[in-house]
């Protein structure tokens, strides 16, 4: 079966980027000018903005405009959108001469009355810092990244199962060794390999937890007052922070605000004495026992109804959130573990308050702090803009891309589902990408992480059945679609893993002959292009074509626009209307900027049509 969407560039378009919206972050009381781009042959003769004023629908008429800086070859409509509430929801009502009506929503054009959940959004809350929005993030799992010489001198902890660097990772959940297998990577080992990270074009180093915990993952913290001595302690973390910042990068920490470990000093005191001051810091049950993260007794859940716990964990200058952002450690922000569950328990829902507290506390210490919340499904209800800046975008990016590029025979296991990742065609994947971008809103989507895999999921190389060219297609989408690319250390050299724990394989520093250097070069080139191309961090997204095996889109920005074509398999040439892609000049440039595979060339424009050549798997970027 084939699916094809070939008239996408001719559909009315709006998003929150500079060409279409005068302000991404307006102030309450403003009237923001918003614009819609339509094809010259589009039958629309009338257009209104429909927004809500204190939840009551109101309409504001749009007019056709001509203005310097608006690309030629299209009709432009403009209207004023009043910003009356902290988050403004809006859509466009279109009518033709016969008064046939349609709606332009953030998910596209529809001819039925859609739910407000798919409206465009403008948030008056402060956006993420520019260094976060424009970042390339690199995730490190400290136990498996690198060992310094000092690691050999440290005794193996009592809870651990020691492993040599080249040993096979134990990863089955039924094997008690899985969280205990200890390879002994440390923070000085990370510091010693920062040249590799910087050479990739990475701008933000993110480590999974570095606080002590009786596991290799350290999500079961036994204290937040110091760095794990097995990683080198506070001194090693200070050395890492200085080295990261000296290279012009930022450092992001990982914090479990939802729970601690059962060996944590707070919990040990609470469990030993019902009258302990920390007893109500946890969710002890009247009938005995305590609430945990997903039934794991080693992860007791924190009680956000308790003011003293909030002060210790997330509120004020003495909190865990605050003090690691100060010298000498100077962490630049946090990734919050299971942010979606923090503050939520049954009838109690303090998640928004917890998110706001973390953000408020972090920004009091560092005005440009960045806070990202982990969320494994639809995060839209948690992304209005005053809490998490964005999310680890598994649902809005990872799952659609996995579904498009998954090899039919991959051994990769699904992340959090009972069935394998389905294999879907391009138009279905496009629908998922559009719907989640609509649910999150333009700004939150652009500030969330594009993830191909992490320490919790199968590796992208395994998802695609080991196909290096298709892996590079995935990496290309990660860097060219709206969102912040996050690499899991080892992606760049082709490491594999069938599920999260197996993906935590050691970096083979001593075996460079095992590295996929072509993929490494592709990641470097993609990071360089993203950093030098405003369209890839701030530009609009217009879909141009989708069929089973091909996705084509345009990223538009006043400083220059690009055309991106991704193929998961060999396909025929694709013809696109040149006039619909004009970005201010009278003709297209079509210069080749990047291709993940050999043989790509500049675009050819003939008789008003852009011909994308036939080809095999690969991702190509051209200037417009």
């Amino acid at each position: 079966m084939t699916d094809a969407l070939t008239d996408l560039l001719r559909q009315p378009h709006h998003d929150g980027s500079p060409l279409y919206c005068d302000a991404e972050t307006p102030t309450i009381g403003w009237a923001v000018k918003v614009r819609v781009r339509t094809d010259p042959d589009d039958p629309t003769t009338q257009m209104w903005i429909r927004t809500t004023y204190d939840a009551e629908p109101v309409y504001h008429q749009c007019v056709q405009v001509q203005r310097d800086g608006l690309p030629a070859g299209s009709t432009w409509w403009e209207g004023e959108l009043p910003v009356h509430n902290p988050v403004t929801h809006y859509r466009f009502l279109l009518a033709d001469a016969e008064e046939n009506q349609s709606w332009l929503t953030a998910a596209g054009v529809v001819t039925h009355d859609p739910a407000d959940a798919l409206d465009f959004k403008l948030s008056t809350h402060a956006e993420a810092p520019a260094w976060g929005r424009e970042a390339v993030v690199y995730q490190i799992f400290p136990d498996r990244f690198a060992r310094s010489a000092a690691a050999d001198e440290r005794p193996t902890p009592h809870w651990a199962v020691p492993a040599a660097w080249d040993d096979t990772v134990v990863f089955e959940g039924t094997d008690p060794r899985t969280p205990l297998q200890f390879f002994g990577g440390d923070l000085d080992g990370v510091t010693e390999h920062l040249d590799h990270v910087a050479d990739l074009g990475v701008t933000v180093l993110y480590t999974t937890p570095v606080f002590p915990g009786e596991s290799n993952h350290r999500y079961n913290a036994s204290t937040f007052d110091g760095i794990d001595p097995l990683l080198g302690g506070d001194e090693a973390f200070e050395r890492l922070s200085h080295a990261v910042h000296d290279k012009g990068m930022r450092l992001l920490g990982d914090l479990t605000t939802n729970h601690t470990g059962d060996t944590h000093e707070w919990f040990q005191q609470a469990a030993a004495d019902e009258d302990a001051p920390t007893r109500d810091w946890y969710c002890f049950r009247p009938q005995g026992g305590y609430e945990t993260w997903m039934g794991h007794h080693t992860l007791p859940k924190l009680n956000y109804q308790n003011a003293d716990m909030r002060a210790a964990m997330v509120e004020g200058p003495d909190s865990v959130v605050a003090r690691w952002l100060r010298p000498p450690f100077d962490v630049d922000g946090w990734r919050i573990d299971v942010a979606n569950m923090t503050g939520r328990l049954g009838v109690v829902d303090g998640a928004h308050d917890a998110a706001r507290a973390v953000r408020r506390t972090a920004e009091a210490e560092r005005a440009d702090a960045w806070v990202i919340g982990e969320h494994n499904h639809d995060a839209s209800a948690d992304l209005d803009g005053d809490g998490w800046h964005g999310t680890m975008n598994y649902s809005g990016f990872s799952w659609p891309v996995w579904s498009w590029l998954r090899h039919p025979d991959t051994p990769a296991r699904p992340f959090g589902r009972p069935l394998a990742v389905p294999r879907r065609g391009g138009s279905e994947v496009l629908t998922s990408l559009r719907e989640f971008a609509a649910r999150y809103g333009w700004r939150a989507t652009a500030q969330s992480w594009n993830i191909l895999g992490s320490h919790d999921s199968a590796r992208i190389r395994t998802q695609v059945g080991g196909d290096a060219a298709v892996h590079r297609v995935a990496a290309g989408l990660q860097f060219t679609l709206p969102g912040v690319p996050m690499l899991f250390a080892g992606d760049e050299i082709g490491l594999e893993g069938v599920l999260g724990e197996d993906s935590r394989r050691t970096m083979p520093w001593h075996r460079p002959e095992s590295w996929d250097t072509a993929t490494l070069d592709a990641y470097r080139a993609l990071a360089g292009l993203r950093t030098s191309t405003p369209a890839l961090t701030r530009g609009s997204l217009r879909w141009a074509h989708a069929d089973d095996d091909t996705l084509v889109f345009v990223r538009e920005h006043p400083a220059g626009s690009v055309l991106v074509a991704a193929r998961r398999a060999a396909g025929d040439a694709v013809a696109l209307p040149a006039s619909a892609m004009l970005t201010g000049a009278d003709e297209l440039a079509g210069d080749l900027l990047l291709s993940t595979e050999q043989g790509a060339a500049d675009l050819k424009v003939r008789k008003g049509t852009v011909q994308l050549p036939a080809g095999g798997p690969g991702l190509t970027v051209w200037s417009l």
Side-chain angles (χ1 to χ4, degrees):
M1 180 195 75
T2 21
D3 47 52
L5 296 171
T6 54
D7 294 324
L8 291 170
L9 282 173
R10 299 193 184 280
Q11 293 182 359
H13 181 76
H14 171 83
D15 56 41
S17 66
L19 279 174
Y20 298 90
C21 189
D22 274 0
E24 266 194 343
T25 308
T27 299
I28 289 179
W30 285 15
V32 176
K33 289 182 178 178
V34 294
R35 288 172 288 278
V36 173
R37 181 176 187 163
T38 61
D39 188 80
D41 294 328
D42 188 278
T44 299
T45 58
Q46 299 179 84
M47 187 180 299
W48 292 265
I49 305 164
R50 195 215 77 169
T51 184
T52 51
Y53 185 98
D54 295 337
E56 180 68 18
V58 293
Y59 291 80
H60 304 274
Q61 192 154 20
C62 300
V63 297
Q64 290 188 24
V65 294
Q66 292 181 328
R67 182 178 300 169
D68 291 343
L70 294 180
S74 298
T75 301
W76 288 86
W77 299 77
E78 185 176 83
E80 290 195 344
L81 173 64
V83 177
H84 176 69
N85 302 109
V87 179
T88 299
H89 298 252
Y90 63 104
R91 63 173 74 174
F92 297 90
L93 175 63
L94 284 60
D96 63 17
E98 304 300 322
E99 294 196 355
N100 296 305
Q101 299 179 26
S102 59
W103 292 104
L104 172 57
T105 73
V109 178
V110 295
T111 55
H112 64 276
D113 290 336
D116 289 10
L118 300 179
D119 280 359
F120 298 101
K121 298 184 184 73
L122 266 183
S123 176
T124 61
H125 303 296
E127 62 183 318
W131 66 263
R133 169 80 172 264
E134 298 164 7
V136 175
V137 181
Y138 191 80
Q139 180 193 26
I140 286 176
F141 190 83
D143 184 57
R144 312 290 163 84
F145 186 69
R147 283 174 65 101
S148 72
D152 295 333
E153 302 171 4
R154 299 184 190 114
T156 301
H158 69 89
W159 52 262
V161 177
W165 201 250
D166 281 334
D167 283 357
T168 300
V169 171
V170 176
F171 61 84
E172 295 291 0
T174 55
D175 191 322
R177 297 173 298 167
T178 294
L180 306 179
Q181 192 180 29
F182 182 75
F183 287 84
D186 63 358
L187 295 177
D188 284 325
V190 176
T191 301
E192 291 167 3
H193 288 89
L194 283 181
D195 284 345
H196 169 83
V197 178
D199 184 58
L200 268 176
V202 168
T203 63
V204 176
L205 184 76
Y206 151 52
T207 72
T208 56
V210 294
F211 300 112
E214 295 187 348
S215 67
N216 51 42
H217 54 71
R218 297 182 172 87
Y219 282 99
N220 54 338
S222 58
T223 184
F224 296 120
D225 286 342
I227 303 301
D228 195 336
L230 296 171
L231 293 174
D234 290 5
E235 296 81 5
F237 194 52
E238 184 178 345
R239 288 191 290 271
L240 175 62
S241 177
H242 285 313
V244 166
H245 291 113
D246 285 348
K247 289 186 176 295
M249 295 188 289
R250 301 280 188 146
L251 181 62
L252 206 66
D254 195 333
L255 186 61
T256 56
T257 54
N258 177 71
H259 55 264
T260 68
D262 63 343
T263 60
H264 196 285
E265 54 211 6
W266 299 346
F267 185 76
Q268 290 284 295
Q269 184 183 28
D273 182 0
E274 291 187 3
D275 296 322
T278 61
R279 180 75 176 186
D280 287 340
W281 292 22
Y282 293 88
C283 303
F284 284 92
R285 304 185 189 110
Q287 67 274 28
Y290 51 89
E291 301 293 342
T292 66
W293 180 76
M294 302 300 290
H296 293 275
H297 73 276
T298 59
L299 303 176
K301 188 175 178 67
L302 290 165
N303 175 22
Y304 275 79
Q305 302 300 296
N306 184 281
D308 291 336
M309 191 286 296
R310 294 198 309 271
M313 192 71 185
V314 300
E315 291 181 347
D318 297 326
S319 66
V320 176
V321 167
R323 64 179 182 265
W324 292 96
L325 272 59
R326 294 195 290 267
F329 308 106
D330 288 314
V331 173
D332 293 288
W334 294 106
R335 176 265 192 187
I336 301 298
D337 183 56
V338 289
N340 52 309
M341 300 183 75
T342 297
R344 287 185 169 122
L345 179 63
V347 298
V348 175
D349 189 345
H352 288 293
D353 289 340
R356 293 184 191 109
V358 172
R359 166 90 168 264
R360 184 169 57 246
T361 299
E363 290 179 341
E365 294 297 330
R366 308 183 74 90
D368 64 347
W370 194 26
V371 183
I372 293 291
E374 182 190 21
H375 208 299
N376 289 334
H377 58 104
D378 183 352
S380 57
D382 292 344
L383 293 178
D384 271 355
D386 54 347
W388 321 126
H389 287 113
T391 185
M392 300 179 76
N393 198 4
Y394 289 109
S395 289
F397 179 83
S398 310
W399 273 95
V401 172
W402 291 342
S403 296
W404 192 47
L405 298 179
R406 174 191 179 271
H407 191 279
D409 299 322
T410 179
R413 301 183 194 175
F415 178 32
R417 294 190 188 181
L419 296 175
V421 175
R423 182 170 167 88
R424 294 182 171 127
S427 65
E428 294 172 298
V429 169
L430 170 56
T431 298
S432 287
L433 290 168
R434 273 183 151 180
E435 286 189 1
F436 274 100
R439 291 282 290 149
Y440 292 175
W442 174 258
R443 200 181 73 181
T445 298
Q447 296 172 174
S448 291
W449 287 0
N450 289 348
I451 303 172
L452 293 174
S454 74
H455 70 289
D456 282 328
S457 75
R459 289 268 187 180
I460 185 60
R461 189 58 161 257
T462 304
Q463 294 278 11
V464 302
D467 190 320
V470 178
H471 176 179
R472 292 189 283 270
V473 173
L477 292 172
Q478 184 179 34
F479 280 81
T480 56
L481 283 170
V484 177
M486 190 216 80
L487 292 65
F488 182 29
D491 284 350
E492 72 275 19
I493 59 173
L495 287 193
E496 297 212 30
V498 302
L499 81 173
E501 284 78 3
D502 186 35
S503 295
R504 303 170 190 178
R505 300 183 187 184
T506 55
M507 283 287 284
W509 298 111
H510 58 301
R511 289 187 285 108
E513 72 280 359
S514 69
W515 295 18
D516 177 357
T517 55
T519 297
L520 177 63
D521 289 342
Y523 273 97
R524 285 196 192 105
L526 287 162
L529 183 65
R530 173 180 163 82
T531 300
S532 63
T533 309
L536 296 180
T537 55
R538 301 281 175 174
S540 68
L541 172 66
R542 292 175 66 212
W543 290 99
H545 173 85
D547 61 41
D548 272 353
D549 298 325
T550 307
L551 291 172
V552 185
F553 53 92
V554 178
R555 298 296 307 276
E556 295 176 315
H557 191 273
S561 301
V562 297
L563 176 67
V564 182
R567 294 183 185 274
R568 71 178 182 182
D572 297 333
V574 175
L576 300 172
S579 62
M581 291 186 284
L582 291 176
T583 59
D586 292 332
E587 58 184 40
L588 299 178
D591 298 333
L592 176 67
L593 297 177
L594 179 147
S595 181
T596 60
E597 308 304 317
Q598 299 296 316
D602 293 345
L603 286 177
K604 303 295 183 184
V605 182
R606 293 188 177 90
K607 298 181 179 180
T609 299
V610 177
Q611 284 284 121
L612 304 187
L619 181 136
T620 308
V621 185
W622 297 272
S623 66
L624 289 178

